[in-house]
Amino acid sequence: MNGPVLVTGAPGNVGTPLVAELLALGAPVRVAAWDVDVAHRAFGDTVDVIPFDFTRPETFGAAFSGVERMFLLRPPQIADVDGVIVPALEAAQTAGVRHVAFLSIQGAERNRIVPHRKIEDRLRASGLAWTFVRAAYFMQNLSTTHAPEIREIDEIWVPAGRRSRTAHVDARDVAAIAARALTEDGHEGRAYTPTGPAALTYDEIAAMLTDEVGRPIRYADPNLVAYWRRMRRRGMPRAMVGVTLGIYMAARFGLAAGLTEDVERITGRAPIPMRQFIHDTREAWTPAARGA
């Protein structure tokens, strides 16, 4: 492999552990960062940091120069695949990028609502080598997007339905698969679906949180309209609310419960279980984290 591996979406839930995995595997890394100051604080001088913005084509040249393999993460606020993401991919291909590992979502091949499906289709037609990492729902969404409700009102506020089960995955496991796809041969043209070891209901997750933080946490089971209204009041962009609703609808219809052995098969270790994740990130839900 020649040149650095380009990582978009770093620092972040997947980008940060991905950089660590790539460095541990001996790969040089270039971080394409929207905020270079934040990236420099996160990674110091361990990686090359380049300003990059999918909506600013003038940033493409320096980011893609000398790169053959890249990790693609769609910014959550960008829903215009053909107008924003595809031009960046075309510029990458022109610059010499040959292989793209794309962070997709579980069930994207069956879900035409989410933009991940369109990106997959465009990559298939591009002539680029590709690997799809169709991650199950991130455990880290509980410690980031949904942490305020857990901290402040002791509720998990997601419209997945009380009976549905979701095969959550730790972003650290997703990063481990992406790193290997970008540094080893044989992953081109393959789609992986990393999941945790168990498909859980949100009532079961609430019970685990209760055990860890020492106070009752409940699953609120909001309807779709209530979820939309609260996320919009919190300032979540419409496009992002729409995408998350599409993901939760898949869970409500029983499409998010499938388990795979991809984490262990690709990385050689068992996936991180939900209870371990909750223990590792318990500070996200403690009263001391309020206002964070």
Side-chain angles (χ1 to χ4, degrees):
M1 178 178 63
N2 298 320
V5 176
L6 183 69
V7 177
T8 64
N13 284 337
V14 177
T16 297
L18 174 57
V19 168
E21 290 276 352
L22 288 168
L23 292 175
L25 292 169
V29 178
R30 177 182 297 165
V31 169
W34 181 79
D35 190 323
V36 294
D37 291 335
V38 171
H40 279 304
R41 287 196 295 271
F43 303 117
D45 59 0
T46 60
V47 302
D48 181 24
V49 176
I50 295 289
F52 181 80
D53 187 332
F54 281 100
T55 65
R56 296 174 57 211
E58 65 270 21
T59 67
F60 295 170
F64 297 138
S65 177
V67 170
E68 293 184 1
R69 301 189 181 196
M70 68 175 284
F71 175 73
L72 173 64
L73 186 150
R74 178 192 65 86
Q77 70 275 16
I78 294 179
D80 184 0
V81 171
D82 288 333
V84 179
I85 303 298
V86 169
L89 289 174
E90 291 173 345
Q93 188 170 17
T94 299
V97 172
R98 298 185 298 107
H99 181 197
V100 175
F102 169 52
L103 180 64
S104 190
I105 61 171
Q106 183 181 27
E109 71 279 14
R110 304 187 302 273
N111 190 342
R112 294 183 178 276
I113 297 175
V114 295
H116 308 76
R117 165 64 183 272
K118 183 176 284 189
I119 294 174
E120 287 193 7
D121 290 344
R122 298 299 182 267
L123 280 168
R124 288 182 188 276
S126 69
L128 287 161
W130 50 264
T131 305
F132 300 149
V133 185
R134 292 174 176 156
Y137 200 71
F138 290 135
M139 295 177 186
Q140 278 75 7
N141 286 325
L142 292 167
S143 60
T144 55
T145 303
H146 302 298
E149 281 79 16
I150 299 172
R151 282 197 305 267
E152 296 163 13
I153 57 176
D154 298 330
E155 290 182 345
I156 301 176
W157 184 267
V158 299
R162 178 146 271 124
R163 296 181 180 179
S164 69
R165 291 185 174 273
T166 301
H168 291 82
V169 66
D170 193 301
R172 292 171 289 184
D173 287 333
V174 176
I177 286 182
R180 283 154 180 80
L182 289 163
T183 57
E184 300 172 350
D185 293 328
H187 298 285
E188 296 87 350
R190 296 183 180 275
Y192 302 123
T193 303
T195 72
L200 303 169
T201 68
Y202 279 95
D203 283 316
E204 290 170 336
I205 295 169
M208 293 180 188
L209 281 164
T210 296
D211 291 342
E212 183 65 40
V213 302
R215 68 182 194 276
I217 306 296
R218 62 182 290 268
Y219 174 47
D221 192 19
N223 62 42
L224 303 182
V225 174
Y227 175 81
W228 173 277
R229 288 174 175 170
R230 179 174 290 191
M231 293 300 105
R232 290 294 294 139
R233 284 198 303 269
R234 281 182 42 196
M236 185 181 287
R238 289 178 179 271
M240 187 173 176
V241 179
V243 169
T244 59
L245 275 173
I247 293 170
Y248 285 123
M249 285 297 291
R252 292 180 79 94
F253 290 130
L255 301 177
L259 296 173
T260 75
E261 297 179 352
D262 284 353
V263 172
E264 187 164 8
R265 182 164 58 85
I266 304 300
T267 70
R269 58 172 175 76
I272 298 167
M274 176 65 76
R275 195 174 291 276
Q276 180 65 50
F277 161 75
I278 289 174
H279 177 73
D280 291 346
T281 55
R282 71 183 313 273
E283 292 184 0
W285 306 294
T286 62
R290 297 185 184 188

